[in-house]
Amino acid sequence: MIDPGLARRLRIVGLDVDGVLTDNGIFVGPVDGHVVELKRFDIQDGLGHVLMREAGLPVVWVSGRHSEATSARARELRVEEVLQVAGPRKLEAFGALLERRGIAWAEAAFVGDDLADLQVLRRVGLPIAVANAVAEVKAAAAYVTGASGGHGAAREAMEAILKARGHWPDLLERYFTEPAPSAV
């Protein structure tokens, strides 16, 4: 369970990409003479983004590597910001984003899985690890998902935050009665 008081203080949620929104695998190979990279994203995580946006809680992605596949999925989900930086630079990048938005570290949640996420997780108000995260990340987390990265873990984390904030029943009602979201 996520503490409701902490959940209500959140003003932003950051997600790692590889290992949280994907299962850490990438497909690399030639297509029409060009090398392409493909990733698998879980559709349930996409709906989580839609529900977070409906609740007015921004979601940003922080990836330890540049990827066109990441950019394409983020555009499809209308993710507010995508930071694609060298893995060890996530702390700087996320900190700059928070400063630019006037958000304190204590008002941020972050979902991670690997060592590149550890510095960020140690600073945010709500550190979350996916089920298959490395031991150091799990030890730093206040909440560990039951689902593994790339298999609904981000959705589970977002849903837990929304439930702790008390938004879940209203969001479900709106989801079933209002026009369908444009992208999941």
PDB file of all heavy atoms in Angstrom, residues 43-80:
ATOM      1  N   ILE A  43       0.378  -2.633 -23.238  1.00  0.00           N
ATOM      2  CA  ILE A  43      -0.783  -1.777 -23.504  1.00  0.00           C
ATOM      3  C   ILE A  43      -1.470  -1.333 -22.211  1.00  0.00           C
ATOM      4  O   ILE A  43      -2.028  -0.239 -22.140  1.00  0.00           O
ATOM      5  CB  ILE A  43      -1.764  -2.469 -24.483  1.00  0.00           C
ATOM      6  CG1 ILE A  43      -2.678  -1.437 -25.149  1.00  0.00           C
ATOM      7  CG2 ILE A  43      -2.570  -3.534 -23.792  1.00  0.00           C
ATOM      8  CD1 ILE A  43      -2.011  -0.649 -26.222  1.00  0.00           C
ATOM      9  N   GLN A  44      -1.413  -2.147 -21.168  1.00  0.00           N
ATOM     10  CA  GLN A  44      -2.018  -1.748 -19.894  1.00  0.00           C
ATOM     11  C   GLN A  44      -1.309  -0.531 -19.311  1.00  0.00           C
ATOM     12  O   GLN A  44      -1.937   0.331 -18.698  1.00  0.00           O
ATOM     13  CB  GLN A  44      -2.001  -2.903 -18.896  1.00  0.00           C
ATOM     14  CG  GLN A  44      -2.979  -3.993 -19.241  1.00  0.00           C
ATOM     15  CD  GLN A  44      -3.021  -5.083 -18.188  1.00  0.00           C
ATOM     16  OE1 GLN A  44      -2.145  -5.175 -17.331  1.00  0.00           O
ATOM     17  NE2 GLN A  44      -4.032  -5.914 -18.259  1.00  0.00           N
ATOM     18  N   ASP A  45       0.007  -0.447 -19.505  1.00  0.00           N
ATOM     19  CA  ASP A  45       0.732   0.735 -19.058  1.00  0.00           C
ATOM     20  C   ASP A  45       0.224   1.976 -19.780  1.00  0.00           C
ATOM     21  O   ASP A  45       0.155   3.060 -19.207  1.00  0.00           O
ATOM     22  CB  ASP A  45       2.232   0.577 -19.300  1.00  0.00           C
ATOM     23  CG  ASP A  45       2.877  -0.480 -18.416  1.00  0.00           C
ATOM     24  OD1 ASP A  45       2.271  -0.881 -17.407  1.00  0.00           O
ATOM     25  OD2 ASP A  45       4.008  -0.902 -18.751  1.00  0.00           O
ATOM     26  N   GLY A  46      -0.139   1.820 -21.055  1.00  0.00           N
ATOM     27  CA  GLY A  46      -0.666   2.942 -21.828  1.00  0.00           C
ATOM     28  C   GLY A  46      -1.937   3.492 -21.224  1.00  0.00           C
ATOM     29  O   GLY A  46      -2.108   4.711 -21.101  1.00  0.00           O
ATOM     30  N   LEU A  47      -2.846   2.618 -20.818  1.00  0.00           N
ATOM     31  CA  LEU A  47      -4.076   3.077 -20.181  1.00  0.00           C
ATOM     32  C   LEU A  47      -3.777   3.757 -18.849  1.00  0.00           C
ATOM     33  O   LEU A  47      -4.426   4.729 -18.478  1.00  0.00           O
ATOM     34  CB  LEU A  47      -5.063   1.926 -19.989  1.00  0.00           C
ATOM     35  CG  LEU A  47      -6.401   2.314 -19.366  1.00  0.00           C
ATOM     36  CD1 LEU A  47      -7.100   3.414 -20.160  1.00  0.00           C
ATOM     37  CD2 LEU A  47      -7.300   1.089 -19.234  1.00  0.00           C
ATOM     38  N   GLY A  48      -2.766   3.281 -18.156  1.00  0.00           N
ATOM     39  CA  GLY A  48      -2.346   3.946 -16.922  1.00  0.00           C
ATOM     40  C   GLY A  48      -1.971   5.391 -17.169  1.00  0.00           C
ATOM     41  O   GLY A  48      -2.322   6.283 -16.391  1.00  0.00           O
ATOM     42  N   HIS A  49      -1.272   5.654 -18.281  1.00  0.00           N
ATOM     43  CA  HIS A  49      -0.911   7.029 -18.635  1.00  0.00           C
ATOM     44  C   HIS A  49      -2.163   7.886 -18.874  1.00  0.00           C
ATOM     45  O   HIS A  49      -2.228   9.028 -18.438  1.00  0.00           O
ATOM     46  CB  HIS A  49      -0.041   7.043 -19.897  1.00  0.00           C
ATOM     47  CG  HIS A  49       1.375   6.681 -19.655  1.00  0.00           C
ATOM     48  ND1 HIS A  49       1.775   5.389 -19.428  1.00  0.00           N
ATOM     49  CD2 HIS A  49       2.491   7.436 -19.616  1.00  0.00           C
ATOM     50  CE1 HIS A  49       3.077   5.371 -19.253  1.00  0.00           C
ATOM     51  NE2 HIS A  49       3.546   6.607 -19.358  1.00  0.00           N
ATOM     52  N   VAL A  50      -3.117   7.314 -19.572  1.00  0.00           N
ATOM     53  CA  VAL A  50      -4.365   8.037 -19.852  1.00  0.00           C
ATOM     54  C   VAL A  50      -5.060   8.397 -18.545  1.00  0.00           C
ATOM     55  O   VAL A  50      -5.515   9.535 -18.355  1.00  0.00           O
ATOM     56  CB  VAL A  50      -5.299   7.197 -20.758  1.00  0.00           C
ATOM     57  CG1 VAL A  50      -6.680   7.819 -20.858  1.00  0.00           C
ATOM     58  CG2 VAL A  50      -4.674   7.021 -22.138  1.00  0.00           C
ATOM     59  N   LEU A  51      -5.133   7.457 -17.617  1.00  0.00           N
ATOM     60  CA  LEU A  51      -5.807   7.697 -16.346  1.00  0.00           C
ATOM     61  C   LEU A  51      -5.053   8.721 -15.487  1.00  0.00           C
ATOM     62  O   LEU A  51      -5.670   9.551 -14.822  1.00  0.00           O
ATOM     63  CB  LEU A  51      -6.004   6.378 -15.597  1.00  0.00           C
ATOM     64  CG  LEU A  51      -6.920   5.377 -16.312  1.00  0.00           C
ATOM     65  CD1 LEU A  51      -6.903   4.035 -15.600  1.00  0.00           C
ATOM     66  CD2 LEU A  51      -8.333   5.911 -16.440  1.00  0.00           C
ATOM     67  N   MET A  52      -3.734   8.685 -15.525  1.00  0.00           N
ATOM     68  CA  MET A  52      -2.940   9.676 -14.793  1.00  0.00           C
ATOM     69  C   MET A  52      -3.199  11.074 -15.354  1.00  0.00           C
ATOM     70  O   MET A  52      -3.351  12.033 -14.592  1.00  0.00           O
ATOM     71  CB  MET A  52      -1.447   9.348 -14.877  1.00  0.00           C
ATOM     72  CG  MET A  52      -1.058   8.088 -14.137  1.00  0.00           C
ATOM     73  SD  MET A  52      -1.163   8.228 -12.362  1.00  0.00           S
ATOM     74  CE  MET A  52       0.441   8.905 -12.016  1.00  0.00           C
ATOM     75  N   ARG A  53      -3.250  11.173 -16.658  1.00  0.00           N
ATOM     76  CA  ARG A  53      -3.515  12.468 -17.295  1.00  0.00           C
ATOM     77  C   ARG A  53      -4.904  12.964 -16.890  1.00  0.00           C
ATOM     78  O   ARG A  53      -5.094  14.128 -16.575  1.00  0.00           O
ATOM     79  CB  ARG A  53      -3.387  12.331 -18.815  1.00  0.00           C
ATOM     80  CG  ARG A  53      -3.362  13.633 -19.555  1.00  0.00           C
ATOM     81  CD  ARG A  53      -2.961  13.527 -21.013  1.00  0.00           C
ATOM     82  NE  ARG A  53      -3.489  12.403 -21.751  1.00  0.00           N
ATOM     83  CZ  ARG A  53      -2.768  11.341 -22.130  1.00  0.00           C
ATOM     84  NH1 ARG A  53      -1.484  11.256 -21.844  1.00  0.00           N
ATOM     85  NH2 ARG A  53      -3.326  10.364 -22.798  1.00  0.00           N
ATOM     86  N   GLU A  54      -5.890  12.055 -16.866  1.00  0.00           N
ATOM     87  CA  GLU A  54      -7.251  12.415 -16.433  1.00  0.00           C
ATOM     88  C   GLU A  54      -7.263  12.917 -14.994  1.00  0.00           C
ATOM     89  O   GLU A  54      -8.052  13.789 -14.652  1.00  0.00           O
ATOM     90  CB  GLU A  54      -8.187  11.211 -16.562  1.00  0.00           C
ATOM     91  CG  GLU A  54      -8.614  10.906 -17.967  1.00  0.00           C
ATOM     92  CD  GLU A  54      -9.525  11.968 -18.540  1.00  0.00           C
ATOM     93  OE1 GLU A  54     -10.479  12.392 -17.848  1.00  0.00           O
ATOM     94  OE2 GLU A  54      -9.259  12.400 -19.670  1.00  0.00           O
ATOM     95  N   ALA A  55      -6.394  12.363 -14.166  1.00  0.00           N
ATOM     96  CA  ALA A  55      -6.319  12.761 -12.755  1.00  0.00           C
ATOM     97  C   ALA A  55      -5.502  14.043 -12.569  1.00  0.00           C
ATOM     98  O   ALA A  55      -5.427  14.563 -11.457  1.00  0.00           O
ATOM     99  CB  ALA A  55      -5.715  11.629 -11.929  1.00  0.00           C
ATOM    100  N   GLY A  56      -4.874  14.520 -13.639  1.00  0.00           N
ATOM    101  CA  GLY A  56      -4.088  15.745 -13.556  1.00  0.00           C
ATOM    102  C   GLY A  56      -2.707  15.558 -12.967  1.00  0.00           C
ATOM    103  O   GLY A  56      -2.090  16.522 -12.500  1.00  0.00           O
ATOM    104  N   LEU A  57      -2.205  14.333 -12.975  1.00  0.00           N
ATOM    105  CA  LEU A  57      -0.877  14.050 -12.434  1.00  0.00           C
ATOM    106  C   LEU A  57       0.072  13.747 -13.592  1.00  0.00           C
ATOM    107  O   LEU A  57      -0.042  12.694 -14.224  1.00  0.00           O
ATOM    108  CB  LEU A  57      -0.943  12.877 -11.453  1.00  0.00           C
ATOM    109  CG  LEU A  57       0.291  12.597 -10.613  1.00  0.00           C
ATOM    110  CD1 LEU A  57       0.692  13.826  -9.794  1.00  0.00           C
ATOM    111  CD2 LEU A  57       0.027  11.427  -9.679  1.00  0.00           C
ATOM    112  N   PRO A  58       1.004  14.661 -13.897  1.00  0.00           N
ATOM    113  CA  PRO A  58       1.888  14.464 -15.046  1.00  0.00           C
ATOM    114  C   PRO A  58       2.807  13.255 -14.893  1.00  0.00           C
ATOM    115  O   PRO A  58       3.285  12.961 -13.798  1.00  0.00           O
ATOM    116  CB  PRO A  58       2.722  15.744 -15.098  1.00  0.00           C
ATOM    117  CG  PRO A  58       2.132  16.680 -14.119  1.00  0.00           C
ATOM    118  CD  PRO A  58       1.254  15.902 -13.202  1.00  0.00           C
ATOM    119  N   VAL A  59       3.044  12.595 -16.009  1.00  0.00           N
ATOM    120  CA  VAL A  59       3.984  11.476 -16.089  1.00  0.00           C
ATOM    121  C   VAL A  59       5.077  11.867 -17.073  1.00  0.00           C
ATOM    122  O   VAL A  59       4.787  12.347 -18.168  1.00  0.00           O
ATOM    123  CB  VAL A  59       3.285  10.182 -16.562  1.00  0.00           C
ATOM    124  CG1 VAL A  59       4.301   9.061 -16.744  1.00  0.00           C
ATOM    125  CG2 VAL A  59       2.211   9.759 -15.575  1.00  0.00           C
ATOM    126  N   VAL A  60       6.328  11.675 -16.657  1.00  0.00           N
ATOM    127  CA  VAL A  60       7.470  11.931 -17.529  1.00  0.00           C
ATOM    128  C   VAL A  60       8.320  10.668 -17.592  1.00  0.00           C
ATOM    129  O   VAL A  60       8.282   9.847 -16.676  1.00  0.00           O
ATOM    130  CB  VAL A  60       8.320  13.130 -17.037  1.00  0.00           C
ATOM    131  CG1 VAL A  60       7.493  14.411 -17.043  1.00  0.00           C
ATOM    132  CG2 VAL A  60       8.902  12.877 -15.668  1.00  0.00           C
ATOM    133  N   TRP A  61       9.027  10.526 -18.700  1.00  0.00           N
ATOM    134  CA  TRP A  61       9.908   9.366 -18.865  1.00  0.00           C
ATOM    135  C   TRP A  61      11.351   9.817 -18.796  1.00  0.00           C
ATOM    136  O   TRP A  61      11.717  10.866 -19.353  1.00  0.00           O
ATOM    137  CB  TRP A  61       9.666   8.699 -20.209  1.00  0.00           C
ATOM    138  CG  TRP A  61       8.349   8.010 -20.353  1.00  0.00           C
ATOM    139  CD1 TRP A  61       7.323   7.951 -19.462  1.00  0.00           C
ATOM    140  CD2 TRP A  61       7.905   7.295 -21.501  1.00  0.00           C
ATOM    141  NE1 TRP A  61       6.276   7.229 -19.977  1.00  0.00           N
ATOM    142  CE2 TRP A  61       6.610   6.810 -21.239  1.00  0.00           C
ATOM    143  CE3 TRP A  61       8.473   7.012 -22.742  1.00  0.00           C
ATOM    144  CZ2 TRP A  61       5.876   6.058 -22.147  1.00  0.00           C
ATOM    145  CZ3 TRP A  61       7.756   6.262 -23.659  1.00  0.00           C
ATOM    146  CH2 TRP A  61       6.470   5.783 -23.359  1.00  0.00           C
ATOM    147  N   VAL A  62      12.177   9.006 -18.135  1.00  0.00           N
ATOM    148  CA  VAL A  62      13.610   9.268 -18.047  1.00  0.00           C
ATOM    149  C   VAL A  62      14.325   7.986 -18.457  1.00  0.00           C
ATOM    150  O   VAL A  62      14.296   6.992 -17.734  1.00  0.00           O
ATOM    151  CB  VAL A  62      14.034   9.689 -16.620  1.00  0.00           C
ATOM    152  CG1 VAL A  62      15.511  10.056 -16.605  1.00  0.00           C
ATOM    153  CG2 VAL A  62      13.177  10.840 -16.116  1.00  0.00           C
ATOM    154  N   SER A  63      14.940   8.026 -19.629  1.00  0.00           N
ATOM    155  CA  SER A  63      15.605   6.838 -20.164  1.00  0.00           C
ATOM    156  C   SER A  63      17.114   7.021 -20.152  1.00  0.00           C
ATOM    157  O   SER A  63      17.611   8.118 -20.407  1.00  0.00           O
ATOM    158  CB  SER A  63      15.138   6.575 -21.605  1.00  0.00           C
ATOM    159  OG  SER A  63      15.779   5.425 -22.116  1.00  0.00           O
ATOM    160  N   GLY A  64      17.810   5.950 -19.890  1.00  0.00           N
ATOM    161  CA  GLY A  64      19.269   5.970 -19.862  1.00  0.00           C
ATOM    162  C   GLY A  64      19.909   5.837 -21.229  1.00  0.00           C
ATOM    163  O   GLY A  64      21.125   5.727 -21.339  1.00  0.00           O
ATOM    164  N   ARG A  65      19.106   5.869 -22.277  1.00  0.00           N
ATOM    165  CA  ARG A  65      19.654   5.791 -23.634  1.00  0.00           C
ATOM    166  C   ARG A  65      18.650   6.361 -24.616  1.00  0.00           C
ATOM    167  O   ARG A  65      17.444   6.326 -24.376  1.00  0.00           O
ATOM    168  CB  ARG A  65      20.008   4.352 -24.010  1.00  0.00           C
ATOM    169  CG  ARG A  65      18.858   3.377 -23.938  1.00  0.00           C
ATOM    170  CD  ARG A  65      19.294   1.926 -24.115  1.00  0.00           C
ATOM    171  NE  ARG A  65      19.818   1.659 -25.424  1.00  0.00           N
ATOM    172  CZ  ARG A  65      19.086   1.370 -26.490  1.00  0.00           C
ATOM    173  NH1 ARG A  65      17.773   1.329 -26.400  1.00  0.00           N
ATOM    174  NH2 ARG A  65      19.644   1.125 -27.648  1.00  0.00           N
ATOM    175  N   HIS A  66      19.158   6.880 -25.726  1.00  0.00           N
ATOM    176  CA  HIS A  66      18.277   7.419 -26.756  1.00  0.00           C
ATOM    177  C   HIS A  66      17.715   6.286 -27.609  1.00  0.00           C
ATOM    178  O   HIS A  66      18.430   5.352 -27.957  1.00  0.00           O
ATOM    179  CB  HIS A  66      19.029   8.398 -27.657  1.00  0.00           C
ATOM    180  CG  HIS A  66      18.147   8.942 -28.733  1.00  0.00           C
ATOM    181  ND1 HIS A  66      17.206   9.917 -28.484  1.00  0.00           N
ATOM    182  CD2 HIS A  66      18.019   8.613 -30.036  1.00  0.00           C
ATOM    183  CE1 HIS A  66      16.550  10.170 -29.606  1.00  0.00           C
ATOM    184  NE2 HIS A  66      17.025   9.398 -30.553  1.00  0.00           N
ATOM    185  N   SER A  67      16.429   6.386 -27.936  1.00  0.00           N
ATOM    186  CA  SER A  67      15.774   5.373 -28.758  1.00  0.00           C
ATOM    187  C   SER A  67      14.598   5.995 -29.484  1.00  0.00           C
ATOM    188  O   SER A  67      13.740   6.625 -28.869  1.00  0.00           O
ATOM    189  CB  SER A  67      15.279   4.222 -27.866  1.00  0.00           C
ATOM    190  OG  SER A  67      14.366   3.408 -28.558  1.00  0.00           O
ATOM    191  N   GLU A  68      14.548   5.793 -30.792  1.00  0.00           N
ATOM    192  CA  GLU A  68      13.416   6.270 -31.584  1.00  0.00           C
ATOM    193  C   GLU A  68      12.137   5.531 -31.205  1.00  0.00           C
ATOM    194  O   GLU A  68      11.051   6.097 -31.251  1.00  0.00           O
ATOM    195  CB  GLU A  68      13.703   6.134 -33.080  1.00  0.00           C
ATOM    196  CG  GLU A  68      14.733   7.121 -33.586  1.00  0.00           C
ATOM    197  CD  GLU A  68      14.338   8.569 -33.357  1.00  0.00           C
ATOM    198  OE1 GLU A  68      13.153   8.919 -33.560  1.00  0.00           O
ATOM    199  OE2 GLU A  68      15.202   9.361 -32.962  1.00  0.00           O
ATOM    200  N   ALA A  69      12.265   4.259 -30.822  1.00  0.00           N
ATOM    201  CA  ALA A  69      11.089   3.490 -30.397  1.00  0.00           C
ATOM    202  C   ALA A  69      10.478   4.118 -29.141  1.00  0.00           C
ATOM    203  O   ALA A  69       9.253   4.229 -29.023  1.00  0.00           O
ATOM    204  CB  ALA A  69      11.466   2.034 -30.136  1.00  0.00           C
ATOM    205  N   THR A  70      11.315   4.548 -28.215  1.00  0.00           N
ATOM    206  CA  THR A  70      10.845   5.224 -27.007  1.00  0.00           C
ATOM    207  C   THR A  70      10.144   6.526 -27.374  1.00  0.00           C
ATOM    208  O   THR A  70       9.043   6.815 -26.872  1.00  0.00           O
ATOM    209  CB  THR A  70      12.024   5.502 -26.051  1.00  0.00           C
ATOM    210  OG1 THR A  70      12.548   4.247 -25.604  1.00  0.00           O
ATOM    211  CG2 THR A  70      11.600   6.342 -24.864  1.00  0.00           C
ATOM    212  N   SER A  71      10.759   7.308 -28.247  1.00  0.00           N
ATOM    213  CA  SER A  71      10.164   8.585 -28.659  1.00  0.00           C
ATOM    214  C   SER A  71       8.814   8.379 -29.322  1.00  0.00           C
ATOM    215  O   SER A  71       7.863   9.123 -29.062  1.00  0.00           O
ATOM    216  CB  SER A  71      11.107   9.322 -29.622  1.00  0.00           C
ATOM    217  OG  SER A  71      12.313   9.644 -28.979  1.00  0.00           O
ATOM    218  N   ALA A  72       8.718   7.359 -30.171  1.00  0.00           N
ATOM    219  CA  ALA A  72       7.464   7.096 -30.882  1.00  0.00           C
ATOM    220  C   ALA A  72       6.347   6.725 -29.914  1.00  0.00           C
ATOM    221  O   ALA A  72       5.224   7.234 -30.016  1.00  0.00           O
ATOM    222  CB  ALA A  72       7.665   5.993 -31.911  1.00  0.00           C
ATOM    223  N   ARG A  73       6.623   5.845 -28.962  1.00  0.00           N
ATOM    224  CA  ARG A  73       5.591   5.452 -27.998  1.00  0.00           C
ATOM    225  C   ARG A  73       5.203   6.621 -27.100  1.00  0.00           C
ATOM    226  O   ARG A  73       4.023   6.814 -26.782  1.00  0.00           O
ATOM    227  CB  ARG A  73       6.062   4.252 -27.159  1.00  0.00           C
ATOM    228  CG  ARG A  73       5.027   3.735 -26.181  1.00  0.00           C
ATOM    229  CD  ARG A  73       3.778   3.229 -26.856  1.00  0.00           C
ATOM    230  NE  ARG A  73       2.886   2.600 -25.874  1.00  0.00           N
ATOM    231  CZ  ARG A  73       1.568   2.534 -25.999  1.00  0.00           C
ATOM    232  NH1 ARG A  73       0.974   3.018 -27.073  1.00  0.00           N
ATOM    233  NH2 ARG A  73       0.837   1.959 -25.074  1.00  0.00           N
ATOM    234  N   ALA A  74       6.174   7.429 -26.712  1.00  0.00           N
ATOM    235  CA  ALA A  74       5.880   8.595 -25.871  1.00  0.00           C
ATOM    236  C   ALA A  74       4.976   9.579 -26.603  1.00  0.00           C
ATOM    237  O   ALA A  74       4.044  10.124 -26.003  1.00  0.00           O
ATOM    238  CB  ALA A  74       7.177   9.269 -25.442  1.00  0.00           C
ATOM    239  N   ARG A  75       5.236   9.800 -27.889  1.00  0.00           N
ATOM    240  CA  ARG A  75       4.364  10.698 -28.666  1.00  0.00           C
ATOM    241  C   ARG A  75       2.949  10.139 -28.738  1.00  0.00           C
ATOM    242  O   ARG A  75       1.972  10.866 -28.569  1.00  0.00           O
ATOM    243  CB  ARG A  75       4.911  10.883 -30.092  1.00  0.00           C
ATOM    244  CG  ARG A  75       5.998  11.909 -30.214  1.00  0.00           C
ATOM    245  CD  ARG A  75       6.326  12.224 -31.665  1.00  0.00           C
ATOM    246  NE  ARG A  75       6.680  11.075 -32.471  1.00  0.00           N
ATOM    247  CZ  ARG A  75       7.899  10.539 -32.544  1.00  0.00           C
ATOM    248  NH1 ARG A  75       8.896  11.053 -31.854  1.00  0.00           N
ATOM    249  NH2 ARG A  75       8.132   9.498 -33.322  1.00  0.00           N
ATOM    250  N   GLU A  76       2.841   8.840 -28.957  1.00  0.00           N
ATOM    251  CA  GLU A  76       1.528   8.200 -29.053  1.00  0.00           C
ATOM    252  C   GLU A  76       0.730   8.364 -27.762  1.00  0.00           C
ATOM    253  O   GLU A  76      -0.477   8.589 -27.798  1.00  0.00           O
ATOM    254  CB  GLU A  76       1.728   6.721 -29.379  1.00  0.00           C
ATOM    255  CG  GLU A  76       0.455   5.965 -29.624  1.00  0.00           C
ATOM    256  CD  GLU A  76       0.723   4.518 -29.987  1.00  0.00           C
ATOM    257  OE1 GLU A  76       1.429   3.814 -29.224  1.00  0.00           O
ATOM    258  OE2 GLU A  76       0.225   4.090 -31.035  1.00  0.00           O
ATOM    259  N   LEU A  77       1.409   8.284 -26.624  1.00  0.00           N
ATOM    260  CA  LEU A  77       0.739   8.399 -25.322  1.00  0.00           C
ATOM    261  C   LEU A  77       0.658   9.836 -24.817  1.00  0.00           C
ATOM    262  O   LEU A  77       0.111  10.078 -23.751  1.00  0.00           O
ATOM    263  CB  LEU A  77       1.458   7.544 -24.274  1.00  0.00           C
ATOM    264  CG  LEU A  77       1.362   6.040 -24.460  1.00  0.00           C
ATOM    265  CD1 LEU A  77       2.211   5.317 -23.426  1.00  0.00           C
ATOM    266  CD2 LEU A  77      -0.083   5.572 -24.400  1.00  0.00           C
ATOM    267  N   ARG A  78       1.205  10.753 -25.570  1.00  0.00           N
ATOM    268  CA  ARG A  78       1.235  12.172 -25.188  1.00  0.00           C
ATOM    269  C   ARG A  78       1.915  12.374 -23.831  1.00  0.00           C
ATOM    270  O   ARG A  78       1.426  13.108 -22.965  1.00  0.00           O
ATOM    271  CB  ARG A  78      -0.154  12.779 -25.206  1.00  0.00           C
ATOM    272  CG  ARG A  78      -0.776  12.763 -26.594  1.00  0.00           C
ATOM    273  CD  ARG A  78      -2.100  13.423 -26.639  1.00  0.00           C
ATOM    274  NE  ARG A  78      -3.048  12.672 -25.817  1.00  0.00           N
ATOM    275  CZ  ARG A  78      -4.222  13.113 -25.423  1.00  0.00           C
ATOM    276  NH1 ARG A  78      -4.622  14.297 -25.779  1.00  0.00           N
ATOM    277  NH2 ARG A  78      -5.020  12.372 -24.680  1.00  0.00           N
ATOM    278  N   VAL A  79       3.059  11.702 -23.659  1.00  0.00           N
ATOM    279  CA  VAL A  79       3.855  11.865 -22.450  1.00  0.00           C
ATOM    280  C   VAL A  79       4.377  13.301 -22.429  1.00  0.00           C
ATOM    281  O   VAL A  79       4.869  13.795 -23.441  1.00  0.00           O
ATOM    282  CB  VAL A  79       5.021  10.848 -22.418  1.00  0.00           C
ATOM    283  CG1 VAL A  79       5.943  11.098 -21.238  1.00  0.00           C
ATOM    284  CG2 VAL A  79       4.470   9.426 -22.389  1.00  0.00           C
ATOM    285  N   GLU A  80       4.257  13.962 -21.291  1.00  0.00           N
ATOM    286  CA  GLU A  80       4.603  15.386 -21.189  1.00  0.00           C
ATOM    287  C   GLU A  80       6.053  15.692 -21.540  1.00  0.00           C
ATOM    288  O   GLU A  80       6.335  16.661 -22.221  1.00  0.00           O
ATOM    289  CB  GLU A  80       4.290  15.916 -19.797  1.00  0.00           C
ATOM    290  CG  GLU A  80       2.812  16.087 -19.594  1.00  0.00           C
ATOM    291  CD  GLU A  80       2.494  17.129 -18.549  1.00  0.00           C
ATOM    292  OE1 GLU A  80       3.369  17.902 -18.141  1.00  0.00           O
ATOM    293  OE2 GLU A  80       1.324  17.148 -18.144  1.00  0.00           O
TER     294      GLU A  80
END
